[in-house]
Amino acid sequence: MEKPNRSIQCSVEQCTYHCSDCDYCSLDTVMIGTHEANPTEQRCTDCLSFSAK
Ligand code: SF4
């Protein structure tokens, strides 16, 4: 079973690293980035550690 990292909450259930039984990431660290040249709001940012199941 994955070990939840209680410092990283995440609700992306489609990610390989999402804990199946709770809304936490199982990685030790994650990289957050952006797909925008000039990010101005929340939806401009992404978890770059995401990996599809
Ligand atoms: S890698 Fe990113 S998207 Fe995947 S579970 Fe962790 S925080 Fe969520």
Side-chain angles (χ1 to χ4, degrees):
M1 183 191 283
E2 317 95 330
K3 184 175 181 294
N5 181 338
R6 299 287 176 185
S7 297
I8 308 176
Q9 291 181 281
C10 181
S11 60
V12 185
E13 297 180 358
Q14 296 79 6
C15 180
T16 302
Y17 304 114
H18 183 268
C19 293
S20 51
D21 58 347
C22 58
D23 273 350
Y24 287 97
C25 182
S26 60
L27 295 177
D28 291 337
T29 64
V30 292
M31 174 66 80
I32 307 303
T34 181
H35 54 272
E36 302 282 350
N38 181 29
T40 55
E41 53 189 326
Q42 191 180 57
R43 65 182 178 181
C44 299
T45 62
D46 310 287
C47 178
L48 301 182
S49 302
F50 170 85
S51 176
K53 279 184 180 170

